[in-house]
Every structure is written in C-alpha cells, then in structure tokens.
Amino acid sequence: MSRLLVCPPKYFQIDYEINPWMRRENAVDPSRAAGQWQALMKVLEEEVGAGIERMQPVPGLPDLVFTANAGVVVGRRALVSRFRYPERQREEAHFAQWFREHGYEVLTLEKTLYFEGAGDLLGFPDTWFGGYRQRSDIRSFPRLSEIFQREIIPLELIDSRFYHLDTCFCPLSGGELLYLPTAFDSYGLAAIAQRIPEERRLAVPEEEAIRFACNAVCVGKEVVIPAGCPRTTHLLEARGYHTHAVELDEFMKSGGAAKCLTLALD
Ligand code: ARG
C-alpha cells in the first residue's frame, strides 16, 4: 500500500507572498479549504486506496500543509528540506521531528544548499529529475545523487509560475510523463526527450497547467487531478488511467494543489 504524509489545513492562509500565485488580499476561505482538503483525503483513502499519515498543524506555519516540500523519503531514510525563504524555513524542524518520531533516519544537506523536497525531485524508479533555480539549488543534486545512489537530471525552471518541479512535471506509474513543455528551456527539453520516448510524453496545455493539471497524485493506475482539466483527463484516460477530479482552488491561491498536499513515504 502506498503511504502519504499530509497535514490538515487548520492554519492555512496567505500570510506572505513567495510565489506569483500568492496575494495576501486573496484570502483563503478556511471552511472551503477544510472541505476541499477533506474531499481530497476521502478520494485518496477510499478511491485510490492510499494510507494516510496526518501530522499536527502548527499555528503560524500556513504552508505546512504542502508536505511534498517536507523532504524526500527513500526506505527508512528521510532527507529534510532546506527552504529558500525564511517564511518556510521554520517548517524544517517540524518535518524533521515527524520523521524522527516515526522511526526514520533523518538526513540533511549542508546549510548553504536549498532543496525543497519532493516538490523539486521527482522521477521514475532509476532516474530522477531535479527542478532548480526558483527554489532548490542545482548544487544540491550531486549530493542527493550520492546519498540515494540515483542519477538526477537537473531541469531549470524558467517560468516563475511553475516554481517547483511538481507544478509542471508529473511522472506516471506506467513510465509516461505529464508535463508543460514551456516551463523548461531547450536543454531541459532535450534531457527529458533523451530519457522519455515521445510516445510517453504527454504535453499538458497551458490553460490546464495554470489549473495545476501537472500537480497530480499517481498511485498505480489511479490519478488524482485538480478539477477543471478536461484535456489532461482525456490524455490520462486514453493511457488507461482512472482519474479522480478534486476541487482545490483554495490551495491554488497559495500556488499548490493535489500533489503538493502529499508526500510519498514509500
Ligand atoms: N505557498 C507554498 C510555497 O510557495 C506552496 C508550495 C507548493 N508546493 C509544491 N510542492 N509545489 O512554497
């Protein structure tokens, strides 16, 4: 069974602006956010069959809900993120504590290396891709590669709206890739093309990428995708995936959706 770490949105709001989606005046509706989050949990547990681990929300840490940024977990080892912005650096200790209390060996990178966890490190069993420049530092990847013994292909994120790799790049269980080509430069596109054959590359239209079509959770043949992405849904269904649409616009006010709200624990 696939296990996911999540954090209830009890203190979720827009307290600061660290990406182009966040505007303080665009306040979160707390009861709508809670309802959307509960609906996401219900789909993950009942329709996808994922196991859910809930961590305690912390007052004053509105973005703790985005557990994809906690770090990267491989087996019993958890490498905790080092956030670029001070607003989120205070989350690091809480994620580290959760991992420690749940029996993980907690690893960290050198202080000077920003790395924002599974938000910027995604891939297939053997090859990983690392998104950099907006948040994570490209220099973190050689260290991560050494620690986890995986090849990591760096991809520069060139569009500030797609500031974490998981906003524009979503590897699927069958080896296909859902992605927004314009979020990458020509080097990145060539690197992707070299690893993933054309028939497996599913380009998402920009009007759906801005509705976070790439921020999907794929477990086996089940894909949980933000609502309002019909063309992406069609691409997925044509490849034999079952899609589950979830309304997540309250979280998009902060620049996140389904994938950001979960961290794969295995
Ligand atoms: N407001 C959060 C931030 O800017 C959103 C994080 C979304 N997480 C993600 N994995 N894309 O850091």
Side-chain angles (χ1 to χ4, degrees), residues 67-72 79-83 89 91-93 95 99 107-109 113-119:
T67 50
N69 299 123
V72 163
L79 187 133
V80 181
S81 292
R82 199 171 287 296
F83 287 92
Q89 284 167 359
E91 296 176 33
E92 293 165 12
F95 288 132
F99 289 127
L107 313 175
T108 49
L109 293 176
L113 294 181
Y114 299 125
F115 169 63
E116 299 203 356

Side-chain angles (χ1 to χ4, degrees), residues 12-14 16-19 22 63 66-69 83 85 88 91 116 118-120 135 163-167 212 215 251 253-257 259-262:
F12 172 60
Q13 51 190 335
I14 314 297
Y16 45 79
E17 300 174 3
I18 57 170
N19 70 51
M22 301 177 89
D63 280 341
F66 298 112
T67 50
N69 299 123
F83 287 92
Y85 292 106
R88 294 202 67 185
E91 296 176 33
E116 299 203 356
D120 271 333
R135 296 294 183 88
Y163 59 94
H164 275 140
L165 186 62
D166 68 1
T167 61
F212 289 82
N215 205 247
F251 296 93
K253 292 175 177 174
S254 189
K259 171 67 205 305
C260 310
L261 293 168
T262 66

Side-chain angles (χ1 to χ4, degrees), residues 31-51:
S31 71
R32 267 195 101 229
Q36 293 182 347
W37 190 86
Q38 287 303 345
L40 172 65
M41 295 305 121
K42 194 167 150 68
V43 167
L44 289 170
E45 284 185 298
E46 295 174 16
E47 295 175 34
V48 171

